[in-house]
């Protein structure tokens, strides 16, 4: 598995809720390439030094992760599939999430992973899942992303997305 180098870090206007490390209320997700998959390991409380980022702020019901946050985790990892695997930019056209098992805000670590299931012209179909620290499948998602052509992606500031050289184990 190799860590993905975030190509947006050099952009001054970059403040993505899902992946910008400087967004004070964001999820601060990081991504890794593992074969066909893009993977993120996420702990709802890992950066809770800020009271805004405490896991309790991500709940829908008491100690239960809000479905919108879980959907965001899925959407974000799917977006990084587009960035790394398809080497372009895009945007979500459709997102379907199946909530199979409640995710607690006390969960020590979630694994969010996704891969392309098919591509039809400028649409990518991406399957994703969220697995809790016990290895249980909690959520499944399918996103359809509109893929920008290389010229439009370049206009948006995307040139390419690389990985670090070092293999790591999470």
């Amino acid at each position: 598995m190799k860590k993905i180098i975030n190509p947006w870090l050099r952009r001054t206007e970059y403040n993505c809720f899902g992946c910008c490390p400087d967004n004070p209320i964001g999820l601060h997700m990081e991504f890794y390439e593992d074969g066909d998959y893009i993977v993120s390991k996420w702990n709802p409380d890992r950066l809770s030094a800020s009271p805004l980022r405490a896991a309790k702020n991500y709940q829908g019901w008491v100690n239960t992760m809000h479905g919108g946050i879980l959907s965001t985790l899925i959407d974000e990892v799917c977006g990084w599939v587009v960035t790394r695997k398809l080497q372009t930019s895009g945007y979500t056209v459709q997102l379907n999430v199946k909530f199979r098992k409640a995710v607690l805000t006390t969960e020590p670590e979630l694994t969010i992973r996704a891969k392309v299931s098919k591509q039809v012209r400028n649409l990518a179909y991406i399957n994703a899942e969220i697995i809790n620290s016990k290895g249980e499948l909690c959520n499944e998602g399918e996103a359809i992303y509109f893929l920008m052509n290389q010229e439009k992606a370049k206009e948006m500031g995307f040139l390419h997305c690389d990985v670090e050289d070092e293999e790591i184990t999470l």
Side-chain angles (χ1 to χ4, degrees):
M1 186 174 320
K2 293 186 177 186
K3 184 173 183 180
I4 296 174
I5 300 167
N6 187 331
W8 308 111
L9 289 176
R10 68 184 185 276
R11 305 280 305 205
T12 56
E13 67 277 11
Y14 168 60
N15 197 39
C16 177
F17 177 74
C19 63
C20 180
D22 300 323
N23 185 324
I25 62 168
L27 301 177
H28 297 196
M29 294 174 75
E30 294 180 336
F31 300 92
Y32 303 84
E33 185 174 50
D34 187 17
D36 290 339
Y37 285 91
I38 300 301
V39 177
S40 182
K41 298 283 188 170
W42 188 73
N43 173 337
D45 236 2
R46 84 178 159 145
L47 296 174
S48 63
S50 162
L52 296 175
R53 292 207 15 83
K56 68 180 181 180
N57 292 330
Y58 298 142
Q59 72 181 5
W61 182 241
V62 177
N63 295 326
T64 304
M65 192 72 63
H66 191 283
I69 295 294
L70 295 168
S71 297
T72 300
L73 294 170
I74 286 174
D75 188 35
E76 190 69 19
V77 76
C78 291
W80 280 83
V81 168
V82 170
T83 301
R84 173 64 188 153
K85 292 298 191 180
L86 303 177
Q87 290 293 315
T88 190
S89 288
Y91 55 85
T92 311
V93 173
Q94 184 172 319
L95 178 65
N96 295 304
V97 179
K98 293 178 184 170
F99 300 97
R100 303 240 181 245
K101 180 174 180 56
V103 176
L104 300 179
T105 54
T106 56
E107 182 65 42
E109 183 175 75
L110 298 174
T111 300
I112 306 99
R113 66 185 201 149
K115 70 176 185 173
V116 174
S117 61
K118 70 179 176 178
Q119 186 174 342
V120 179
R121 292 187 295 276
N122 59 351
L123 295 177
Y125 294 75
I126 303 167
N127 291 334
E129 57 191 15
I130 297 177
I131 301 164
N132 68 17
S133 60
K134 296 175 187 169
E136 299 168 323
L137 177 65
C138 297
N139 305 112
E140 294 177 285
E142 181 188 58
I144 302 173
Y145 264 75
F146 176 82
L147 306 175
M148 294 180 187
N149 63 39
Q150 294 301 312
E151 183 179 304
K152 183 64 176 172
K154 190 174 181 179
E155 278 179 37
M156 300 287 291
F158 180 81
L159 301 176
H160 61 280
C161 180
D162 294 321
V163 293
E164 293 180 355
D165 292 332
E166 183 181 337
E167 283 279 339
I168 60 170
T169 304
L170 294 180

